[in-house]
Amino acid sequence: MMATNERPALLPRYQHTLLEAGCDEAGRGCLAGPVFAAAVILPQDFNHTELNDSKQLDEKTREQLRLEIEKCALAFAVASVDNVEIDQINILQASILAMHRAIGMLLLPPEFLIIDGNYFKKYKSLDHACIVKGDGKYYSIAAASVLAKTYRDDFMKKISEEHPEYYWHQNKGYPTQKHRSAILEKGFTPYHRLTFRVQPFPFKTKEAETVI
């Protein structure tokens, strides 16, 4: 089955026996702000031709999908781990902690978890599967990626009003040239991750190219 935009259609389930929640995070590669994570349980018959990995969608589409996901989901939750906690436990552990927090907030307890990526720490007694690039393979992980991204973007736009010189309303805390230059000129804010290296010379990362 092919989606209408000629990309392979996402799959509704990893397994078909247990109630399944998809989990993903946003903001791992940022120099400032929290990492956000979402957990989403979708109906068995959920189908959407536009839902995909949030990095493959423009901002307007993500915002529209967020409304549809929140309306259709059997349960969803979004949680975060702030920059202070990230510096204390490292970004990988903070990403997992954010996912654990989101899972714990679900009003409908899941029985199985599918996680975007290749590493996860078991949540309570629940079995899980790690799926590399899962946000482009399964609806529930893609939905989680959209919620985590849009909630985090909203947060970064809000704190950008406090520190407009860092252009967080545009770069969302990722290491763009403007952001790095502002740090080197003005220093860190209380929202910056102090354990992350700031390079003064132009460089590109996949995440930095897709966040605007």
Side-chain angles (χ1 to χ4, degrees):
M1 178 179 178
M2 300 294 288
T4 57
N5 58 1
E6 297 185 354
R7 62 173 174 81
L10 274 61
L11 299 172
R13 286 288 188 277
Y14 178 84
Q15 50 77 51
H16 297 273
T17 304
L18 304 173
L19 186 65
E20 186 172 282
C23 303
D24 199 6
E25 52 72 30
R28 278 185 63 171
C30 295
L31 301 177
V35 61
F36 274 65
V40 181
I41 301 174
L42 293 173
Q44 291 258 10
D45 60 351
F46 182 87
N47 181 60
H48 201 293
T49 58
E50 291 188 50
L51 182 57
N52 195 9
D53 168 12
S54 64
K55 295 185 293 297
Q56 305 301 319
L57 306 170
D58 59 41
E59 185 172 6
K60 182 178 179 181
T61 301
R62 287 195 298 264
E63 291 294 339
Q64 181 59 43
L65 284 169
R66 170 178 165 176
L67 297 176
E68 295 181 37
I69 292 164
E70 292 179 347
K71 180 179 179 181
C72 295
L74 299 178
F76 71 89
V78 182
S80 66
V81 173
D82 68 22
N83 57 299
V84 175
E85 291 179 282
I86 291 170
D87 285 339
Q88 291 172 345
I89 63 176
N90 78 48
I91 186 58
L92 175 59
Q93 300 306 318
S95 298
I96 294 170
L97 177 57
M99 283 191 265
H100 279 205
R101 287 176 176 173
I103 296 163
M105 292 166 59
L106 288 169
L107 297 181
L108 182 62
E111 299 170 325
F112 189 83
L113 305 172
I114 53 174
I115 312 295
D116 183 59
N118 60 4
Y119 181 73
F120 184 69
K121 285 186 175 180
K122 191 177 185 72
Y123 178 79
K124 296 185 177 180
S125 62
L126 293 183
D127 288 334
H128 68 270
C130 292
I131 303 163
V132 176
K133 298 184 180 179
D135 48 7
K137 297 175 181 177
Y138 291 91
Y139 278 127
S140 61
I141 302 180
S145 78
V146 168
L147 294 191
K149 171 66 174 167
T150 54
Y151 274 75
R152 188 179 188 280
D153 284 359
D154 285 351
F155 180 88
M156 296 306 297
K157 290 174 185 177
K158 182 178 179 179
I159 63 172
S160 182
E161 296 173 5
E162 300 176 40
H163 300 281
E165 64 272 23
Y166 295 88
Y167 297 92
W168 292 333
H169 61 291
Q170 293 180 342
N171 62 52
K172 312 305 188 298
Y174 282 89
T176 61
Q177 185 169 355
K178 280 186 177 181
H179 189 186
R180 297 195 311 278
S181 296
I183 294 172
L184 293 169
E185 178 183 350
K186 303 177 185 299
F188 294 107
T189 70
Y191 297 106
H192 277 101
R193 304 173 185 178
L194 302 182
T195 53
F196 281 40
R197 180 177 298 178
V198 182
Q199 301 182 28
F201 301 106
F203 72 99
K204 292 184 178 181
T205 68
K206 183 177 180 181
E207 286 184 291
E209 292 173 350
T210 60
V211 296
I212 306 302

